[in-house]
């Protein structure tokens, strides 16, 4: 069943309300907030690569507060253990049974701060829960519930003592973006309210977590024409044969682009995906999944530039002549 015009209108109105609510705490970052909610409603995860002090923690807390969900923050360090993330079973001497104690990953929005500072073993503790929304400890699976979203951050400047995220983990992040610094007007407004240390405390929930799950199901019914799917496939294939890439976009990357485009279309009040949705989301969805050729990296080429060039060279459905 395809989403109806009435449902599309309700989805767009609700989406705008959620974005505006978060915007009260995160000034001047509407596009990034829209991307964050797109990731949440597509039931995916967000990777933020940004300098310290740009509002990454505030974004996670504001998202959780807006959807009446829970929030947790994990500071990734070299000595962090996998059980510190997922939880652990402890023997109870009173009941003579093992009891599972949940880790901080059991929350609606989990902020994995400076994820690249933890060892690969600890990073891998997130792989199962990011893909399947469950944690397996001592052969017993524990669901983390819905909605569930990981917002991971990494510092692009200070790389000493960090572990580069492996390709398999990068591929599990639906979107990668950055907040950046606010514009001048937003900066002045932030400074004028500096007496309040946490702007997210004043936010009130605009929707329940159950309604978020319903919106995710609704977004999945947005129509995607075969010509648009062909366009996505051609974009992904182009990244694999490009002379400047050593590894192109995976099948998961193409699926992620379609999932995000469906949510984005619904947020615009449409029940169908158009090529412009794909173009707008291609860079944040695809760029981090690519590995550049060594020569291209030395020449200063970025994945974002490669995606932009491929978009320019790949003809969208509306311009095709059959």
């Amino acid at each position: 069943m395809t989403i109806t015009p009435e449902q599309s209108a309700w989805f767009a109105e609700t989406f705008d309300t959620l974005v505006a609510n978060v915007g009260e705490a995160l000034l001047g970052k509407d596009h990034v907030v829209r991307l964050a909610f797109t990731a949440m409603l597509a039931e995916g995860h967000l990777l933020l690569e940004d300098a310290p002090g740009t509002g990454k923690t505030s974004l996670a807390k504001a998202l959780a507060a807006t959807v009446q969900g829970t929030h947790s923050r994990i500071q990734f360090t070299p000595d962090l253990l996998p059980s510190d993330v997922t939880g652990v079973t402890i023997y109870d001497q009173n009941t003579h049974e093992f009891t599972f104690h949940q880790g901080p990953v059991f929350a609606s929005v989990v902020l994995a701060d400076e994820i690249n500072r933890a060892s690969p073993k600890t990073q891998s503790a997130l792989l199962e829960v990011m893909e399947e929304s469950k944690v397996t400890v001592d052969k017993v699976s524990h669901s983390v519930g819905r909605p569930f979203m990981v917002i991971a951050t990494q510092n692009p400047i200070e790389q000493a003592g960090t572990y580069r995220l492996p390709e398999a983990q990068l591929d599990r992040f639906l979107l990668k973006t950055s907040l950046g610094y606010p514009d001048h007007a937003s900066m002045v407004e932030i400074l004028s309210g500096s007496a309040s240390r946490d702007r997210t405390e004043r936010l009130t929930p605009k929707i329940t977590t159950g309604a978020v799950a319903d919106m995710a199901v609704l977004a999945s019914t947005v129509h995607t024409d075969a010509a648009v799917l062909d366009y996505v496939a051609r974009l992904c294939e182009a990244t694999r044969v490009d002379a400047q890439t050593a590894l192109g976009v995976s099948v998961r990357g193409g699926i992620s682009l379609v999932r995000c485009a469906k949510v984005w279309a619904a947020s615009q009040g449409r029940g169908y995906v158009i090529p412009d949705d794909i173009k707008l989301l291609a860079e944040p969805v695809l760029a981090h999944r690519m590995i550049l050729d060594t020569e291209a990296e030395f020449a200063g080429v970025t994945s974002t530039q490669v995606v932009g060039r491929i978009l320019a060279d790949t003809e969208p459905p509306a311009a095709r002549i059959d």
Side-chain angles (χ1 to χ4, degrees), residues 93-159:
Q93 292 184 345
N94 295 323
T95 62
H96 302 289
E97 293 179 349
F98 283 95
T99 304
F100 177 66
H101 292 254
Q102 296 182 349
V105 77
F106 286 82
S108 304
V109 180
V110 179
L111 178 66
D113 208 6
E114 294 187 298
I115 188 173
N116 55 339
R117 293 202 176 277
S119 67
K121 183 177 182 179
T122 301
Q123 290 179 16
S124 66
L126 286 173
L127 291 179
E128 180 190 19
V129 70
M130 289 175 66
E131 186 69 20
E132 303 176 26
S133 297
K134 67 178 183 180
V135 169
T136 302
V137 178
D138 294 335
K139 300 182 181 180
V140 179
S141 295
H142 308 271
S143 174
V144 295
R146 295 174 69 190
F148 171 71
M149 181 183 184
V150 173
I151 300 179
T153 72
Q154 57 182 12
N155 191 332
I157 307 300
E158 179 54 60
Q159 296 299 317

Side-chain angles (χ1 to χ4, degrees), residues 178-197:
S178 62
L179 283 164
Y181 293 112
D183 56 48
H184 179 75
S186 298
M187 184 66 182
V188 171
E189 189 172 348
I190 292 170
L191 294 175
S192 68
S194 59
S196 174
R197 290 180 58 85

Side-chain angles (χ1 to χ4, degrees), residues 293-313:
D293 179 77
T294 305
E295 292 185 6
E297 278 193 307
F298 282 144
V301 178
T302 65
S303 297
T304 299
Q305 292 172 340
V306 173
V307 171
R309 177 169 49 76
I310 289 174
L311 280 172
D313 295 342

Side-chain angles (χ1 to χ4, degrees), residues 47-51 56 152-156 159 176-180:
L47 178 61
L48 295 175
E49 186 173 83
D50 224 329
K56 300 183 290 293
T153 72
Q154 57 182 12
N155 191 332
Q159 296 299 317
K176 179 185 176 184
T177 188
S178 62
L179 283 164

